[in-house]
């Protein structure tokens, strides 16, 4: 792709984002302050919302479609713990074949609508061997191994800076608030999330490598959305639900059924935590 082609496709992308924003502006009475992105087996958080609008992704112009069966594709807008929220039930992944610009399209649209906070969840594999399936991990930081940065290419200055700072990609304030709100139960951990491209799961040797480079949990999502959220000036709370724990010296097959079942088992904990955090946002 030469430079002019790159600029053209960015123009196109910008227009698509603005068209989707204009559509949602008409559909949503008052824009949400908080965006929730719900990962594998975790879409039930949206059931807690007093919904004012439920919008299937296919109705939103230029919105990607979710191709993974375990992910629903709809946007639920309404109130949660007294705050205006928009929850994406089902997200897009790099492994589905989407570019990271497509993956982050929903975040960009919500940022333009005026959202201030992103609460993003995922199901992840534990690398810290003290973790147990069903634990929740507040994401303190990330390592992005997905080989395409969503901000690559010409920068839209109105959307954010060319070189966004990621020194606190995951808000310290929100992590403290989450610990205070939850009473810090033993299953609430805090650690580093590493995103791999997927869709194949890690080998034992890769698992050892990911642990060595400083990660506590591994998954195939979240980092592109968090990069864009930071670019757009949103404050981010990231929560991994530990669905399995991967011990390189005693490696067990990682089965999607188990990942989903374990994520769903921990969903109640996630729902409670998210509700308490949102209630405390003031
Ligand atoms: N690896 C990568 N992604 C995952 C895992 C894992 O072990 N568990 C849930 N998502």
């Amino acid at each position: 792709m030469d430079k002019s082609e790159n600029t053209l496709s960015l123009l196109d992308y910008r227009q698509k984002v603005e068209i989707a924003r204009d559509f949602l502006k008409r559909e949503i009475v008052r824009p949400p302050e908080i965006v929730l992105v719900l990962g594998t087996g975790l879409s039930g958080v949206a059931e807690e919302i007093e919904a004012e609008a439920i919008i299937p992704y296919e109705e939103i112009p230029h919105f990607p479609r979710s191709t993974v069966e375990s992910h629903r594709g709809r946007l639920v807008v309404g109130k949660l713990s007294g705050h205006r929220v928009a929850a994406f039930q089902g997200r897009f992944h790099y492994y589905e074949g989407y570019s990271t610009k497509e993956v982050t399209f929903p975040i960009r649209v919500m940022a333009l609508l005026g959202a201030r906070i992103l609460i993003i969840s995922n199901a992840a594999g534990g690398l810290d061997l003290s973790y147990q399936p069903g634990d929740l991990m507040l994401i303190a930081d990330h390592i992005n191994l997905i080989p395409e940065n969503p901000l690559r290419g010409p920068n839209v200055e109105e959307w954010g800076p060319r070189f966004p700072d990621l020194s606190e990609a995951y808000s310290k304030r929100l992590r403290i608030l989450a610990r205070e709100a939850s009473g810090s139960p033993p299953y609430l951990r805090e650690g580093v999330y590493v995103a791999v491209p997927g869709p194949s799961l890690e080998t034992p040797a890769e698992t050892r490598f990911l642990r060595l480079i400083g990660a506590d949990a591994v998954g195939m999502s979240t980092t592109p959305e968090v990069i864009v959220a930071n670019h757009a000036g949103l404050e981010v709370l990231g929560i991994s639900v530990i669905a399995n724990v991967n011990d390189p010296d005693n490696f067990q097959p990682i089965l999607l059924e188990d990942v989903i079942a374990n994520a769903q088992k921990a969903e109640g904990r996630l729902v409670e935590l998210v509700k308490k955090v949102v209630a405390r946002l003031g």
Side-chain angles (χ1 to χ4, degrees), residues 1-2 9 31 38 66 76 84 96 98 100 108 145 149 157 164 195 201 216 236 238 247:
M1 200 189 273
D2 69 20
S9 66
L38 308 172
S66 199
V76 180
R84 302 199 48 76
E96 293 175 79
Y98 295 114
T100 51
R108 199 52 94 180
L145 298 182
N149 192 296
E157 288 298 322
L201 286 138
D216 300 298
V236 176
D247 178 355

Side-chain angles (χ1 to χ4, degrees), residues 123-126 196 201-202 218-220 243-244 246 254 259:
V196 293
L201 286 138
E202 299 74 48
V218 54
M220 302 173 189
N244 49 287
N246 306 339
I254 305 164
V259 168

Side-chain angles (χ1 to χ4, degrees), residues 16-17 20-21 24 63 104-114:
K16 285 176 178 169
V17 167
R21 175 205 54 193
L24 288 176
F63 225 71
T104 56
F105 189 92
I107 306 299
R108 199 52 94 180
V109 172
M110 297 318 291
L112 286 190
L113 274 176

